Amino acid sequence: MIVGKQKSIAEIREIVLPYKKLLVLGCGTCVKTCFAGGEDEVATLSSALRLSFKKDGRSIYIEELTVERQCEDEFIREAAVAISKNTAVLSLACGAGVQAIARRFANVPVLPGVNTTFIGVLEKQGLFTEECLGCGDCQLAVFGGVCPVSRCAKKLQNGPCGGSRNGKCEINPDTDCAWQQIITRLTALGQLDNLRKYNPPKDWRTSHAGGPRKLVREDHVI
Amino acid sequence: MIKKYKPQITLFHCINAFDNCASLPVSTGGAFELKPVKMACSSMVKDVFLLRAFEAGADAVAVFVCPEGQCRYVEGNIRAKKRVNFVKNLLDEIGLSGRRLSLHNVECGDTENAVRILQQVLSDINDMGPSPAK
Ligand code: SF4
Ligand code: SF4
């Protein structure tokens, strides 16, 4: 899932200040799971904004709505009526959702209320960790299901480096050394030999380094 | 005619911590309004309910929960405490002051303590003045 964090009230206030009628638009999928932009967060943020403006003697009209997914046109359409009644949209989706709304509604300013942070997992209640960088050429089969691209601070393909200490990374004693985990897991799987094979330098052209990417599934294009 | 200011406290309370708060014998120098909101468990106190209480005109919001380790639903009071702390930070960010929101562990039926807490909340409102978002 995409993990994000809501922006501070001060920053959001600044962004929405020029608008009198605002639609706070949530997304009921990834950002809901990480408590950044689902129905509850839409309600809490809207209430906090109203209080904040009222305290300063300003008035703002806020409408609240959450759609299932902001990155799919089918769901975005449900927001059309609410968007037409307001002068701006504060989207609590990830950056993809914000842009999908902006693309469909060309005449309405669409503002981000969330900082999109990473592709990750819910490790336990309230803890989200980064697990994938979307490199476009997944090598998890070689590395025992532990990603050195997203979880090694140096993105080493042939680690560990000399900074690995007692299973922790030198950048932060709270960060696990991904390469320690790769070796532990490959040992447990009896696949440590994977690391004896030649592993060519990573071709970053499939990653974002090759510019914005596009995926076309001809079999689904009509 | 200018309406006379009457401090308003919204009190969210778990029915296991306190059955009925409407009749608590709080004696103060002046009049005040107490709006009790009963909950089946304190964990039902969502962030937005606390904020909406301020939108509805509260000068302070108090939450009564059972003592730690005594929640009928095991950890409801711990969840309530975490939410209250989250909203206190939000109130500070907004400039409304997190001091206007407080959580208290109250033994079931301890009227004396409940009254003492509400009197303290009232005296805090007197120090801070009315909510600037009223
Ligand atoms: S808009 Fe973003 S947050 Fe919402 S479902 Fe799509 S990817 Fe997830
Ligand atoms: S190897 Fe690439 S695609 Fe696979 S998990 Fe790592 S970053 Fe993601």
Side-chain angles (χ1 to χ4, degrees), chain A residues 11-178:
Chain A
E11 187 179 349
I12 292 177
R13 250 190 72 115
E14 200 63 32
I15 295 175
V16 303
L17 208 56
Y19 309 101
K20 291 270 169 288
K21 289 171 87 182
L22 183 70
L23 174 68
V24 178
L25 187 59
C27 175
T29 308
C30 314
V31 287
K32 176 190 169 119
T33 312
C34 61
F35 313 112
E39 268 160 11
D40 286 355
E41 292 74 34
V42 166
T44 302
L45 175 65
S46 301
S47 186
L49 281 175
R50 280 191 295 266
L51 282 167
S52 162
F53 279 102
K54 198 158 179 210
K55 176 190 144 271
D56 295 345
R58 290 170 176 268
S59 72
I60 183 166
Y61 167 83
I62 298 181
E63 186 170 343
E64 303 168 23
L65 180 71
T66 298
V67 295
E68 189 65 28
R69 277 199 284 286
Q70 285 190 32
C71 55
E72 268 187 63
D73 214 42
E74 207 176 306
F75 297 105
I76 292 175
R77 270 186 244 146
E78 289 168 22
V81 175
I83 291 177
S84 69
K85 288 191 284 173
N86 290 280
T87 46
V89 178
L90 179 74
S91 163
L92 298 190
C94 69
V98 177
Q99 293 179 71
I101 299 285
R103 195 168 298 164
R104 179 160 251 280
F105 302 98
N107 300 323
V108 187
V110 184
L111 318 159
V114 163
N115 290 324
T116 308
T117 319
F118 52 75
I119 303 175
V121 301
L122 172 64
E123 205 169 289
K124 60 179 191 184
Q125 185 68 2
L127 174 66
F128 304 88
T129 50
E130 181 165 24
E131 309 283 337
C132 175
L133 230 65
C135 74
D137 179 23
C138 192
Q139 295 298 320
L140 284 176
V142 176
F143 300 119
V146 179
C147 173
V149 180
S150 56
R151 295 172 61 187
C152 165
K154 295 167 186 152
K155 299 186 178 61
L156 292 180
Q157 301 293 295
N158 297 287
C161 72
S164 178
R165 293 270 182 283
N166 304 318
K168 299 293 177 191
C169 174
E170 68 178 342
I171 61 151
N172 184 342
D174 289 336
T175 303
D176 289 328
C177 166

